[in-house]
Amino acid sequence: MKTKQIDKLDNFSGTVLIPVFETAAKSINSIKFEDLEISSKVFYGKKDTHYLVEKNGNTYLFVGLGKTIEYKALKTIARRISFKEKEVFGESVAIFIPEEFNNEQVEATVSGLLLGTYNLGHYKNQNEHPFLDANFELEILSTKDYTTVVDRAIKIASAQLQTLALVDLPPNKVTPKYLANWAQDKGEKYGFEVNVLGLEACEIEGLGAFLAVAKGSQNEPQFIIMNYTPAATIPNLKHVGLVGKGITFDTGGLNIKTTGMLHMKCDMAGGAAVFGAMQLIADLQLAVKVTAIVPCAENAVDAKAFLPSDVIHSYNGTSIEIIDTDAEGRLILADGISYLIKNYNPEYIVDIATLTGSSVGTLGYECGALFTNNESISKKLQEAGDSVGERLWQLPLWDVYKQDIESDIADVKNYSGKPVAGAISAAKFLEYFTQEHAAWAHLDVAGVAFGDDEFAKSKHATGYGVHLLTKFIENL
């Protein structure tokens, strides 16, 4: 796809998108653009409406935004137009940028249009979206230069598109090895270092909790470590650590799932968000050092699978009583966090995972659960999430919940066994492995990383976390 900035439509031939803020339905003032005039009785910019006019060989698509517009809503509107009205697009599309738009609104519009090219039918024979044609040209119609903003928007959408595919592709495709190869390919392309520890290397390192989860699978686990350092020399360079849950399929192990297993290819969505964020961070050349770890494994049922009541040892030497093999995500994250702290010791740590159904029961499908004892980090993460439409809400980490992970036989147990406060006790388990790190946060995104929307008939990836993590790091 090519982009070009233009200040008028002379000699343009194609489709013109015109975002319109809502006016009064019975206003005497018409909607005007170039030599077109549309009565407010026909179209007045109501949110989630659009109006199509063909004139002078061009197609004009007026898009209603409502009275005010948030980043996520604008991005969704642009994606909807791109996804559902693609038959009106030719090899050239021009976006008119209203004077009221700011940089973030331009970014949301362009990235939304690109996200509209995504289709869940990875294994279907289907026509490619016009935007993906090598000859396609996206023209930005404005008197103000938005070249830098458009370039940024394309990079955001590209990272999110990669993340959508990683989560939506089937588990016989996206194995731990597939993710390791993906990371190495993207590291080479975008400029971050990748080191992968296979089974033997993990055994040498003593990643016991991670390896216990992987025991039952024929797919070898991969402990993926990524490092990004900006090319320019920067004084007082901040160092951020990310850890993402990379369970490529979760049967529940011997505590086998009785419902919802169909969608358990999504249990690596936290890891996928970290992969997408690493691509975007490197692509944007952010002035922050980032170390990211994604422990990738399959939680399968086999004669070798770990057992309820087993006692295993984690990377940092902690003994863990296994109460439930379906509480496996926190085990691999524990080793990921411990390894990150011991070997890299970043100033900030954020882990992200589709960890508990409890977080969904608490917050539904509107936001992720945030856990941290650092109020500054909490505020920065929530502000970043609010600004890009990937919201978080903080839940408590009070010490009274420590009793939920206390074990008689081991240092800790991996599951409380109680039907309440599951997201909190999981977070308390992870906190145990942070060694009281001063700036750690845990994001439980089980309700927002995979779900239903207008862009497919079945549940699918949302791409949640890619932009949130990147924005948080950028704001530092």
Side-chain angles (χ1 to χ4, degrees):
M1 185 183 73
K2 297 171 285 188
T3 61
K4 184 170 71 173
Q5 179 90 23
I6 58 174
D7 57 9
K8 52 188 175 180
L9 284 175
D10 292 355
N11 302 318
F12 176 81
S13 178
T15 304
V16 186
L17 299 181
I18 306 106
V20 178
F21 284 103
E22 185 175 337
T23 60
K26 297 180 180 180
S27 170
I28 61 173
N29 297 318
S30 302
I31 302 294
K32 296 179 181 180
F33 179 81
E34 299 279 315
D35 59 347
L36 296 174
E37 187 170 346
I38 304 170
S39 168
S40 61
K41 294 180 181 180
V42 176
F43 175 81
Y44 59 96
K46 183 180 179 182
K47 188 177 178 181
D48 297 333
T49 65
H50 62 272
Y51 187 75
L52 189 147
V53 178
E54 293 185 354
K55 187 174 181 180
N56 302 328
N58 289 334
T59 300
Y60 297 88
L61 193 59
F62 293 82
V63 182
L65 303 181
K67 294 179 181 178
T68 59
I69 194 76
E70 294 180 338
Y71 187 99
K72 183 179 179 181
L74 180 53
K75 194 169 185 175
T76 301
I77 287 170
R79 183 179 179 183
R80 180 185 303 121
I81 291 296
S82 175
F83 182 77
K84 296 187 176 181
E85 304 295 333
K86 63 183 181 182
E87 67 275 2
V88 306
F89 299 133
E91 290 188 354
S92 293
V93 171
I95 309 172
F96 170 68
I97 306 299
E99 290 184 2
E100 305 97 316
F101 267 27
N102 56 33
N103 286 353
E104 287 71 30
Q105 289 169 320
V106 175
E107 177 186 287
T109 303
V110 174
S111 60
L113 287 173
L114 266 73
L115 284 177
T117 67
Y118 183 74
N119 194 306
L120 198 57
H122 291 283
Y123 294 93
K124 287 186 173 184
N125 292 321
Q126 54 190 346
N127 294 327
E128 196 172 63
H129 195 287
F131 286 12
L132 301 177
D133 190 290
N135 296 318
F136 173 77
E137 188 165 65
L138 181 65
E139 303 191 9
I140 310 301
L141 177 57
S142 174
T143 55
K144 182 179 177 181
D145 186 3
Y146 285 107
T147 303
T148 302
V149 178
V150 170
D151 180 61
R152 175 186 170 87
I154 291 170
K155 290 176 179 179
I156 292 168
S158 296
Q160 290 178 319
L161 286 167
Q162 287 287 322
T163 303
L164 293 175
L166 286 178
V167 178
D168 283 331
L169 285 167
N172 59 328
K173 174 75 170 179
V174 180
T175 62
K177 187 64 177 176
Y178 180 95
L179 292 175
N181 291 338
W182 185 97
Q184 289 169 328
D185 290 345
K186 293 300 183 287
E188 185 175 340
K189 179 177 179 179
Y190 291 97
F192 56 89
E193 297 177 0
V194 180
N195 182 30
V196 179
L197 305 182
L199 177 61
E200 186 176 340
C202 289
E203 290 172 342
I204 293 170
E205 290 286 347
L207 293 160
F210 172 58
L211 290 171
V213 174
K215 281 172 62 178
S217 175
Q218 65 177 349
N219 291 308
E220 182 178 316
Q222 306 281 289
F223 195 84
I224 303 169
I225 306 161
M226 296 167 282
N227 278 290
Y228 162 76
T229 304
T233 302
I234 300 167
N236 303 317
L237 186 67
K238 286 180 166 51
H239 185 189
V240 180
L242 302 175
V243 183
K245 176 183 173 184
I247 296 294
T248 56
F249 193 81
D250 181 22
T251 65
L254 291 174
N255 291 109
I256 197 163
K257 292 181 183 292
T258 54
T259 59
M261 202 191 299
L262 173 65
H263 301 128
M264 283 302 103
K265 65 180 181 179
C266 82
D267 216 17
M268 42 67 71
V274 171
F275 286 135
M278 285 301 288
Q279 173 181 317
L280 183 54
I281 289 162
D283 205 7
L284 293 174
Q285 282 291 297
L286 298 190
V288 181
K289 176 178 172 60
V290 183
T291 300
I293 293 178
V294 183
C296 296
E298 185 180 73
N299 188 23
V301 181
D302 181 86
K304 296 179 181 179
F306 68 139
L307 308 172
S309 78
D310 274 356
V311 174
I312 63 174
H313 287 81
S314 69
Y315 176 76
N316 72 356
T318 299
S319 59
I320 304 170
E321 180 185 10
I322 302 303
I323 302 299
D324 193 323
T325 61
D326 196 20
E328 85 299 329
R330 66 200 70 180
L331 297 176
I332 71 169
L333 289 174
D335 271 2
I337 291 168
S338 298
Y339 192 93
L340 179 69
I341 291 172
K342 180 179 178 180
N343 296 283
Y344 298 96
N345 195 29
E347 296 171 64
Y348 307 89
I349 298 174
V350 180
D351 75 73
I352 180 168
T354 50
L355 206 64
T356 68
S358 172
S359 70
V360 185
T362 303
L363 298 171
Y365 304 101
E366 300 305 321
C367 69
L370 164 64
F371 298 88
T372 180
N373 281 327
N374 185 308
E375 288 307 310
S376 174
I377 296 301
S378 175
K379 183 178 179 181
K380 289 180 187 299
L381 280 164
Q382 287 180 296
E383 286 176 349
D386 288 345
S387 70
V388 299
E390 297 182 4
R391 289 176 170 163
L392 292 165
W393 191 258
Q394 188 172 1
L395 296 178
L397 268 178
W398 301 323
D399 279 347
V400 68
Y401 292 105
K402 275 186 177 178
Q403 61 186 331
D404 286 348
I405 61 168
E406 291 174 353
S407 167
D408 289 328
I409 195 172
D411 294 321
V412 290
K413 60 185 179 183
N414 78 324
Y415 178 59
S416 69
K418 302 175 183 178
V420 295
I424 298 173
S425 60
K428 290 301 289 184
F429 180 88
L430 294 178
E431 184 187 42
Y432 187 92
F433 295 86
T434 65
Q435 300 175 27
E436 299 183 351
H437 193 283
W440 160 77
H442 161 59
L443 312 183
D444 189 338
V445 297
V448 287
F450 198 78
D452 296 298
D453 62 28
E454 63 193 278
F455 301 108
K457 295 177 181 178
S458 57
K459 287 182 180 292
H460 57 281
T462 66
Y464 182 100
V466 176
H467 203 178
L468 165 63
L469 292 173
T470 305
K471 191 72 172 179
F472 164 72
I473 290 171
E474 185 175 36
N475 288 347
L476 290 175

